[in-house]
């Protein structure tokens, strides 16, 4: 059986214990002060996430011939909004795709840009697509849309937003759109569903 150790045992030096206690106290104070600064900064700045949305759209042309070749044109406005009153916002990787019945019609892209404090920027896209050959199912969908006087398109994509929140540092966020655009045959839009990246 092992024998118990008998004799004097070394104890930690009091100076080491005091140093450790002081270091822990300083670290705790730093964490508390940082938390207070972040909280006060949030209350003062009240940061708001920038977002993108589609305020207006118009179907300029929509027709297809006997061979099923589609011709279409659009005017679409995508608005980048920054509700922060003390921070500019930067948008990059701005890429959206417009499609009809699963067929890509056009890509909406923009170079990086900035939006001032408590401001917005409208990006107007006016385009006419090249003739697009439709398959039999797409021809049926286009014909049915004209008969119903309801032509549906999908606008999907995203943009990266970046803004500085005072002492809180720089923040990055993806703005996603999965938007359904419903037009009449005269080109007027009747419905825009989920056409904003802003959380409700």
């Amino acid at each position: 059986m092992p024998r118990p150790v008998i004799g004097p045992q070394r104890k930690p030096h009091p100076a080491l214990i005091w140093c450790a206690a002081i270091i822990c106290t300083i670290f705790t104070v730093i964490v508390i002060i940082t938390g207070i600064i972040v909280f006060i900064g949030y209350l003062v700045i009240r940061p708001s996430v920038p977002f993108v949305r589609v305020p207006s759209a118009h179907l300029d042309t929509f027709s297809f011939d006997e061979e099923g070749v589609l011709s279409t044109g659009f005017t679409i406005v995508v608005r980048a909004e920054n509700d922060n009153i003390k921070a500019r916002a930067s948008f990059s990787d701005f890429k959206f795709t417009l499609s009809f019945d699963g067929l890509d019609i056009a890509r909406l892209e923009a170079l990086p840009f900035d939006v001032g404090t408590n401001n917005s920027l409208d990006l107007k896209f006016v385009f006419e697509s090249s003739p697009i050959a439709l398959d039999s199912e797409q021809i049926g969908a286009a014909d049915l849309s004209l008969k119903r006087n309801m032509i549906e398109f999908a606008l999907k994509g995203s943009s990266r937003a970046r803004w500085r929140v005072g002492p809180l540092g720089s923040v990055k966020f993806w703005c996603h759109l999965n938007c359904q655009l419903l037009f009449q045959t005269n080109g007027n839009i009747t419905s825009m569903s989920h056409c904003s990246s802003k959380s409700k």
Side-chain angles (χ1 to χ4, degrees), residues 53 55-56 77-81 113 115 120-125:
R53 67 184 183 94
S56 65
V77 176
V78 180
R79 179 173 296 166
E81 298 199 27
F113 59 91
V115 178
S120 64
L121 179 67
D122 285 350
L123 289 85
K124 186 176 182 180
F125 297 90

Side-chain angles (χ1 to χ4, degrees), residues 22-120:
I22 292 173
I23 292 174
C24 291
T25 302
I26 293 175
F27 179 77
T28 302
V29 171
I30 291 174
V31 172
I32 293 174
I33 292 176
T34 302
I36 293 174
I37 292 175
V38 170
F39 181 70
I40 294 176
Y42 179 85
L43 293 179
V44 173
I45 300 173
R46 294 189 177 276
S48 176
V49 177
F51 62 97
V52 295
R53 67 184 183 94
V54 180
S56 65
H58 189 270
L59 178 59
D60 301 327
T61 58
F62 184 86
S63 63
F64 63 98
D65 57 23
E66 296 178 354
E67 297 180 354
V69 177
L70 175 67
S71 297
T72 184
F74 280 90
T75 300
I76 296 178
V77 176
V78 180
R79 179 173 296 166
E81 298 199 27
N82 176 27
D83 292 339
N84 292 290
I85 60 175
K86 294 187 178 181
R88 294 177 62 84
S90 300
F91 290 83
S92 60
D93 298 318
F94 189 98
K95 298 177 181 179
F96 297 89
T97 301
L98 183 72
S99 61
F100 170 76
D101 196 44
L103 178 65
D104 291 348
I105 301 296
R107 289 181 64 84
L108 284 61
E109 299 184 356
L111 295 174
F113 59 91
D114 293 338
V115 178
T117 57
N118 197 28
N119 207 342
S120 64

Side-chain angles (χ1 to χ4, degrees), residues 86-172:
K86 294 187 178 181
R88 294 177 62 84
S90 300
F91 290 83
S92 60
D93 298 318
F94 189 98
K95 298 177 181 179
F96 297 89
T97 301
L98 183 72
S99 61
F100 170 76
D101 196 44
L103 178 65
D104 291 348
I105 301 296
R107 289 181 64 84
L108 284 61
E109 299 184 356
L111 295 174
F113 59 91
D114 293 338
V115 178
T117 57
N118 197 28
N119 207 342
S120 64
L121 179 67
D122 285 350
L123 289 85
K124 186 176 182 180
F125 297 90
V126 180
F127 58 89
E128 185 171 345
S129 69
S130 302
I132 302 172
L134 304 178
D135 60 27
S136 58
E137 292 185 0
Q138 292 165 342
I139 292 175
D143 184 59
L144 184 61
S145 296
L146 291 174
K147 290 179 179 178
R148 290 181 174 179
N149 192 26
M150 290 188 300
I151 307 171
E152 183 176 344
F153 289 83
L155 180 64
K156 298 180 181 180
S158 60
S159 177
R160 184 193 294 269
R162 178 178 179 274
W163 73 107
R164 185 170 184 81
V165 189
L168 307 184
S170 180
V171 180
K172 295 180 180 179

